[in-house]
Amino acid sequence: ASHQLYRGMLFMLLLFAGLCTAAIAADARMKASMKASVARLERMFGSVAAPTDGEHHLRSMESALEQLAAKVVNGAEKPADSELDILQGIRKDMDKIIEDASADHAEDQSEVDRARDNLAACEDHITAIKDANATASEESSHAACRIEEQQLYIIKTGICDLYYAAASAVRAPSCMRTFPKNAKPDQLDKMLGCLGELKDWASPENISLSEKRAECNEATKQHHEQTEKCHHLQIEYEMAACIYHHELITTRSFYNTCRSSREAELEQVHAAVRVTEAGRKAEFTSASHIKCLLDVFDADPENKQQSYLRCSRETWSTSKFDIVYHDSLSASDLHSSPSHGMLRHRRNCASLVRTQASMASLQTQLQTQLTHTSTHLGEDGS
């Protein structure tokens, strides 16, 4: 009886050593499962000292059970019923370890995805930047406006020059040179004849010059309106260039800082998770192997060897614990500069910004005054 008790104590010490080392190296949930096994052992044999080296954790138990299973298959050992009960408790602990491994895998994958999403969120900071293409479009609209303005100027100049030339070429009838200022009776017939000539000459000349003047005025008006339109477009374009340049410089610094810190975070998370991923796969493999070895003790005598050989040959896929890692996202190009036209007007940015601020302030003051006036009118009406 003392020999059986001694053999049982050695058996339990071997298992207990594996349990204690596993508890040191595993995570919180795994430790809880291991402690349950330790509690079972202590209820049976009392408090037993065990090694505290956590380097081998589950592997120590796996090795101990493999040696014991080999002895059972060879007939060198036959566990007592109380030992078999403890082994069944260990099976439940292995089930818990495998179950927790799935939960831990999901948590690690979420952490990796969160680090990727944090890096992607840096892109949100550049959405507020005025689109460079939109700014270039405004520059193009302004340039096209100036071309049309120049064309209208050429047309206006040609039409008005014709009017000026026609007006300069007007020559009164020759009788006007001798037209009497104070006509004498003998000059009246000649004077009336000259007036007839004047009438015949003045009417068509008046119509012709009036038409040419109207054409010159219309061409001048069109050119003036086009000039005003281009001036307005130029202000919009220069303001857009200033805003784009300011936002580009400000956001570029913030964006680079954001990416730098979150790329470092992504690398740190990947490094940490790769360690836990490898450990989880090793724990899953060991726990699965331990469960397989426990089947050896439950098998019928004629099937124990076959069960043991199956455990020796079995491989357990850990692909379900593969973490999907994410490459660092490509950085957005924030190094593009405004066009040469935009650069020409950048010197006006401070003035334009001050003008815009003044106009915004004036608009606010007017709105406040209107609200104040409306309120008083409403009170007077009541």
Side-chain angles (χ1 to χ4, degrees):
S2 61
H3 173 73
Q4 290 295 328
L5 179 60
Y6 176 72
R7 185 177 63 81
M9 287 290 291
L10 288 178
F11 166 72
M12 299 316 299
L13 279 172
L14 189 58
L15 293 181
F16 185 75
L19 289 171
C20 290
T21 53
I24 293 172
D27 61 17
R29 286 195 289 265
M30 180 177 167
K31 288 179 182 178
S33 298
M34 288 300 184
K35 287 179 180 178
S37 293
V38 172
R40 294 187 185 93
L41 294 176
E42 289 185 340
R43 283 197 300 272
M44 188 169 185
F45 295 104
S47 180
V48 182
T52 58
D53 180 9
E55 292 182 3
H56 304 293
H57 51 283
L58 279 175
R59 292 187 183 277
S60 297
M61 180 187 293
E62 183 181 3
S63 177
L65 277 175
E66 189 167 16
Q67 294 176 29
L68 179 62
K71 292 180 180 179
V72 169
V73 169
N74 295 331
E77 293 285 355
K78 184 178 180 181
D81 290 342
S82 58
E83 296 170 341
L84 292 175
D85 289 341
I86 292 176
L87 292 177
Q88 290 304 318
I90 293 174
R91 181 188 295 275
K92 293 180 181 179
D93 296 335
M94 296 304 104
D95 288 337
K96 186 70 170 84
I97 289 173
I98 292 173
E99 177 185 348
D100 291 343
S102 296
D104 292 341
H105 166 74
E107 290 179 3
D108 279 356
Q109 184 64 64
S110 296
E111 188 67 14
V112 169
D113 293 344
R114 183 193 62 79
R116 173 205 58 194
D117 294 342
N118 283 347
L119 176 59
C122 292
E123 303 300 316
D124 295 341
H125 298 299
I126 67 175
T127 56
I129 298 180
K130 184 175 179 65
D131 186 5
N133 292 329
T135 305
S137 176
E138 290 170 333
E139 179 184 13
S140 177
S141 297
H142 171 250
C145 184
R146 292 300 184 187
I147 291 174
E148 186 175 355
E149 177 194 21
Q150 181 64 24
Q151 292 172 345
L152 289 174
Y153 174 78
I154 293 172
I155 293 172
K156 181 205 77 166
T157 301
I159 291 175
C160 291
D161 283 351
L162 287 176
Y163 167 57
Y164 301 147
S168 299
V170 172
R171 297 290 183 270
S174 59
C175 67
M176 287 294 298
R177 291 194 293 270
T178 60
F179 194 86
K181 294 183 179 179
N182 297 307
K184 295 178 180 181
D186 60 345
Q187 294 177 321
L188 291 178
D189 291 341
K190 186 175 182 181
M191 181 186 71
L192 288 173
C194 184
L195 288 175
E197 289 183 38
L198 287 174
K199 177 182 177 182
D200 295 338
W201 164 80
S203 180
E205 286 290 347
N206 179 59
I207 293 173
S208 177
L209 288 177
S210 295
E211 290 175 350
K212 287 180 172 59
R213 182 182 64 180
E215 292 174 354
C216 176
N217 289 341
E218 179 62 24
T220 301
K221 176 185 175 184
Q222 290 182 9
H223 175 255
H224 176 74
E225 290 175 349
Q226 184 69 18
T227 300
E228 290 297 314
K229 177 183 176 181
C230 294
H231 179 64
H232 179 70
L233 288 176
Q234 180 173 341
I235 292 175
E236 288 185 347
Y237 152 63
E238 291 180 356
M239 181 61 71
C242 291
I243 292 174
Y244 174 76
H245 176 68
H246 174 74
E247 290 178 348
L248 180 66
I249 298 301
T250 303
T251 304
R252 181 187 296 166
S253 176
F254 187 87
Y255 177 73
N256 290 340
T257 300
C258 180
R259 281 196 60 91
S260 178
S261 62
R262 294 186 182 180
E263 281 181 336
E265 177 192 10
L266 183 68
E267 293 178 1
Q268 292 170 1
V269 169
H270 281 191
V273 169
R274 281 192 173 93
V275 173
T276 58
E277 177 188 17
R280 184 177 304 115
K281 290 180 177 181
E283 291 164 3
F284 170 78
T285 301
S286 294
S288 299
H289 190 206
I290 288 172
K291 287 183 62 179
C292 186
L293 291 172
L294 292 174
D295 291 339
V296 175
F297 300 103
D298 294 338
D300 295 332
E302 62 273 15
N303 295 324
K304 287 187 183 295
Q305 184 172 10
Q306 182 179 357
S307 180
Y308 178 78
L309 290 175
R310 180 177 64 82
C311 293
S312 301
R313 298 166 182 167
E314 185 76 24
T315 57
W316 289 270
S317 173
T318 60
S319 60
K320 64 180 179 180
F321 298 117
D322 288 346
I323 295 292
V324 178
Y325 296 96
H326 310 294
D327 295 332
S328 180
L329 302 174
S330 299
S332 296
D333 181 16
L334 292 182
H335 298 284
S336 58
S337 300
S339 67
H340 292 301
M342 295 168 70
L343 290 173
R344 284 199 308 272
H345 299 294
R346 190 184 299 175
R347 63 182 181 274
N348 300 324
C349 284
S351 175
L352 287 170
V353 171
R354 284 195 299 270
T355 301
Q356 186 186 45
S358 298
M359 292 177 65
S361 176
L362 179 60
Q363 184 177 12
T364 301
Q365 292 175 15
L366 289 173
Q367 186 63 41
T368 302
Q369 185 63 38
L370 287 173
T371 303
H372 180 72
T373 302
S374 299
T375 302
H376 277 287
L377 289 174
E379 292 175 351
D380 294 341
S382 60

